[in-house]
Amino acid sequence: ACNADLADIIYAVDFAARKHKNQRRKDPEKTPYINHPIGVAHILIQEGGIEDGEVIQAAILHDTVEDTDTTFEELEEHFGKSVANIVREVTDNKLLSKEERKELQVKNASHKSLQAKLVKLADKIYNLRDLNRVLPEGWDENRRREYFNWAEKVCCQIYDANDHLAKCLQTLFSEFSGK
Ligand code: NDP
Ligand code: ZN
């Protein structure tokens, strides 16, 4: 990435950190939420070999609309139309129930753009690794299994987006089913 890309990426980190400042992950240590979007961007760069600055910005911003007061208009103003549109593609409709949202992810995954598929794959890798590390408070083994099963239904449709991320997910799913 050139310096202009890097400046945009660091600005996204600053923006997302402010938006997620009061949020924590579900792990028992209550990790600051911002570690998740930063980690998703790192997976895309380090493991996916992704150099598209728009995808990296979208990864950093991917949960701001779903989980904070951020609007797509605001993202467009700060980061431009294409970044805002990638985030739009990976944002669930909060008017629907959790069950409906999960169903729609399975139904719609294959119709997303390549850029959105990349963010989705890296997001799932991060969350599955997090679940392998430690169960969130209130979760049991069965809930973790349901999450892995659902994530596989979403991801298996979009492996075409990136061979390295696909391999990583296939290993996570096969190691899990072997447990
Ligand atoms: P989810 O099952 O969707 O929670 C997982 C999501 O939480 C991840 O996708 C991730 O999303 C986020 N997250 C935050 N911290 C962590 C972490 N440490 N590890 C992994 N993921 C983390 O829970 P919801 O409450 O959103 O949804 C409820 C759904 O769960 C219902 O649809 C229902 O089917 C199911 N359920 C199952 C139960 C059971 O016992 N089997 C009980 C209750 C509900 P992000 O990337 O956005 O941060
Ligand atoms: Zn996420």
Side-chain angles (χ1 to χ4, degrees):
C2 62
N3 283 337
D5 273 343
L6 269 179
D8 290 343
I9 289 165
I10 298 301
Y11 183 50
V13 173
D14 172 53
F15 181 95
R18 279 184 277 117
K19 291 297 192 172
H20 289 297
K21 69 179 185 212
N22 294 322
Q23 234 188 315
R24 293 291 176 275
R25 297 287 288 169
K26 296 173 177 171
D27 60 323
E29 300 100 313
K30 301 184 170 39
T31 302
Y33 194 85
I34 190 62
N35 285 99
H36 165 65
I38 293 173
V40 173
H42 185 245
I43 288 168
L44 284 166
I45 295 168
Q46 192 71 25
E47 301 179 58
I50 302 305
E51 294 182 343
D52 178 345
E54 288 177 358
V55 173
I56 304 308
Q57 288 173 71
I60 291 160
L61 299 165
H62 81 273
D63 280 323
T64 57
V65 177
E66 207 167 286
D67 297 340
T68 79
D69 62 5
T70 308
T71 64
F72 293 118
E73 291 69 36
E74 204 179 347
L75 291 183
E76 196 175 316
E77 192 182 302
H78 289 269
F79 304 100
K81 243 190 177 53
S82 40
V83 171
N85 280 334
I86 302 168
V87 177
R88 193 189 307 273
E89 280 192 87
V90 301
T91 299
D92 288 345
N93 180 352
K94 278 190 288 191
L95 298 173
L96 304 176
S97 71
K98 297 258 171 88
E99 286 74 16
E100 287 174 307
R101 292 185 223 172
K102 294 206 176 255
E103 255 179 62
L104 279 181
Q105 283 205 34
V106 177
K107 191 159 162 269
N108 295 337
S110 67
H111 306 296
K112 305 280 177 195
S113 68
L114 170 63
Q115 292 178 312
K117 286 178 183 175
L118 291 168
V119 174
K120 276 198 153 291
L121 290 174
D123 185 35
K124 293 293 187 286
I125 290 173
Y126 188 102
N127 285 333
L128 295 168
R129 284 181 181 160
D130 226 358
L131 292 176
N132 272 341
R133 186 173 60 84
V134 58
L135 271 177
E137 283 172 333
W139 285 47
D140 56 13
E141 282 298 337
N142 188 50
R143 182 148 180 202
R144 173 157 55 193
R145 180 175 312 105
E146 280 176 17
Y147 190 90
F148 267 78
N149 289 342
W150 166 75
E152 185 168 21
K153 282 189 217 153
V154 177
C155 293
C156 72
Q157 308 180 62
I158 56 176
Y159 286 153
D160 61 311
N162 185 280
D163 285 345
H164 300 283
L165 301 180
K167 255 256 135 4
C168 173
L169 282 157
Q170 284 164 328
T171 305
L172 280 165
F173 294 129
S174 76
E175 284 175 358
F176 186 78
S177 67
K179 275 189 197 164

